[in-house]
Amino acid sequence: MCFIPHCPAIRISVCSPLMSTIDRKRATSFRRKIRRFYKRHGRVLPFRQTTDPYCITVSEIMLQQTQVDRVVPKYEAWVVKWPDWQSLAGATKQELLAMWSGLGYNRRALYLGQIAQTVVEEYSGRLPDDPAELIRLPGIGRYTSRAILIFAYNRPLVTADTNIRRVILHELDLPPSTSASEIEDIAEQLLPRRDSRNWHYALMDYSSLALPKRLVAIPPTTKQSRFQGSIRQIRGEIIRHLTVRKSVRVNTIAESMERTKEDVQKAAENLAREGLVEVRGSTIRLVE
């Protein structure tokens, strides 16, 4: 449901495929609208109550391709068990995967463990605040590196995820074909230089709470395949078993899920290619 259904979109003209300009009056109007909404409806989330680079990094890795409501309880449990880089660096692969269970894309849990080890061993326990250094760490790409700098340090940067893209396309009445570089250029023009952190929170909340869940004119950039009955579901079940025992047999997974041995073998080999497990005959083991 939209909280402000009668507030019209702000229109701009696209000058070229790679350049759009917004006059000062329109930019001010846009900021006022988004800030007003955030002041009234902004979400209170545990990872917004801290600027600790460790907590911000954990939350950003968790939020990659995962909904906020699924992340919140996992985040809270994670930072209780491992409150800093030093404690996380000592976690075993089995512990990481067990704590991560339910979030999907299990490689992200291992990335966090690897980041912790690197931060402790190479950066004296302090996460680097240089984007070029951040992006070298496992699981941290351009978007996540910028998000960490924005939410931990309030750096005057922009980072445009799917939510922010939706807001800019919808509110400025831009075509879905607008390129990522042009979206970022527009976001730069709209950025309040002194409050990047709350500005990005506001844009995300406006997208999640004020805009319709699906905008017909703005198709998603990616579409996730169905989980139930998929190979991804089998992968998750294999990992779940390996968080409580050292190995599991293909037959065990096949029988518990009522799937064919061929499907389980395929899922196991998929995990093996990612370096998560090793497959020896019909036995699957977690890679140490």
Side-chain angles (χ1 to χ4, degrees):
M1 181 177 70
C2 179
F3 288 102
I4 42 178
H6 303 299
C7 194
I10 302 163
R11 298 176 184 273
I12 67 171
S13 59
V14 179
C15 303
S16 75
L18 294 177
M19 182 177 176
S20 299
T21 56
I22 308 173
D23 65 43
R24 182 175 299 179
K25 183 177 179 181
R26 285 175 174 170
T28 299
S29 177
F30 180 92
R31 293 190 197 103
R32 185 182 298 118
K33 176 179 180 178
I34 299 300
R35 283 169 162 162
R36 185 185 299 123
F37 177 85
Y38 183 60
K39 184 176 181 179
R40 294 175 180 174
H41 307 291
R43 292 174 292 183
V44 178
L45 300 170
F47 35 81
R48 291 187 181 179
Q49 311 308 305
T50 180
T51 57
D52 181 347
Y54 169 74
C55 294
I56 297 298
T57 303
V58 171
S59 67
E60 285 302 318
I61 297 288
M62 286 186 170
L63 286 164
Q64 293 172 358
Q65 298 178 286
T66 307
Q67 295 174 330
V68 171
D69 58 349
R70 289 174 57 203
V71 166
V72 168
K74 290 291 184 179
Y75 166 83
E76 292 177 320
W78 185 284
V79 296
V80 167
K81 185 175 181 64
W82 299 301
D84 50 36
W85 295 117
Q86 288 78 5
S87 58
L88 182 58
T92 67
K93 185 176 290 188
Q94 199 169 39
E95 288 174 326
L96 291 168
L97 293 172
M99 183 63 73
W100 194 268
S101 180
L103 287 179
Y105 301 97
N106 294 288
R107 171 62 65 182
R108 294 179 296 165
L110 306 188
Y111 285 153
L112 277 170
Q114 293 166 14
I115 292 170
Q117 291 170 7
T118 302
V119 168
V120 169
E121 294 169 6
E122 298 182 20
Y123 297 100
S124 302
R126 184 179 183 276
L127 187 75
D129 59 2
D130 179 341
E133 292 292 315
L134 276 176
I135 209 166
R136 290 178 53 245
L137 296 172
I140 296 182
R142 188 171 187 273
Y143 169 81
T144 302
S145 67
R146 286 181 164 231
I148 290 168
L149 294 173
I150 290 165
F151 299 132
Y153 301 106
N154 205 26
R155 293 280 178 83
L157 302 170
V158 299
T159 192
D161 69 349
T162 300
N163 285 306
I164 293 172
R165 172 180 173 269
R166 276 165 38 96
V167 175
I168 289 175
L169 291 180
H170 182 266
E171 292 301 309
L172 303 183
D173 197 32
L174 294 172
S177 59
T178 304
S179 68
S181 60
E182 189 170 9
I183 293 288
E184 194 162 293
D185 178 69
I186 294 167
E188 285 276 5
Q189 296 177 58
L190 294 168
L191 178 68
R193 296 294 167 180
R194 296 183 180 179
D195 196 17
S196 179
R197 178 188 294 122
N198 284 319
W199 175 245
H200 282 82
Y201 286 152
L203 287 170
M204 290 174 181
D205 285 1
Y206 187 86
S207 175
S208 296
L209 303 175
L211 297 184
K213 294 299 181 185
R214 294 186 181 276
L215 295 170
V216 176
I218 306 176
T221 54
T222 59
K223 185 177 181 181
Q224 193 175 84
S225 60
R226 180 174 58 89
F227 179 75
Q228 193 67 30
S230 67
I231 293 297
R232 285 195 300 122
Q233 186 182 26
I234 302 174
R235 284 166 48 107
E237 185 68 5
I238 291 170
I239 293 296
R240 189 183 69 79
H241 277 264
L242 293 177
T243 61
V244 295
R245 56 181 61 88
K246 292 183 177 180
S247 66
V248 66
R249 295 185 65 80
V250 169
N251 283 351
T252 302
I253 301 295
E255 290 171 6
S256 68
M257 299 188 72
E258 298 183 348
R259 300 294 297 267
T260 66
K261 289 187 290 185
E262 290 75 17
D263 279 349
V264 177
Q265 193 78 30
K266 181 179 179 180
E269 290 170 357
N270 190 299
L271 288 168
R273 284 194 294 273
E274 295 179 15
L276 283 169
V277 306
E278 58 182 10
V279 183
R280 294 183 180 179
S282 61
T283 301
I284 311 166
R285 292 180 181 274
L286 197 64
V287 172
E288 296 299 328

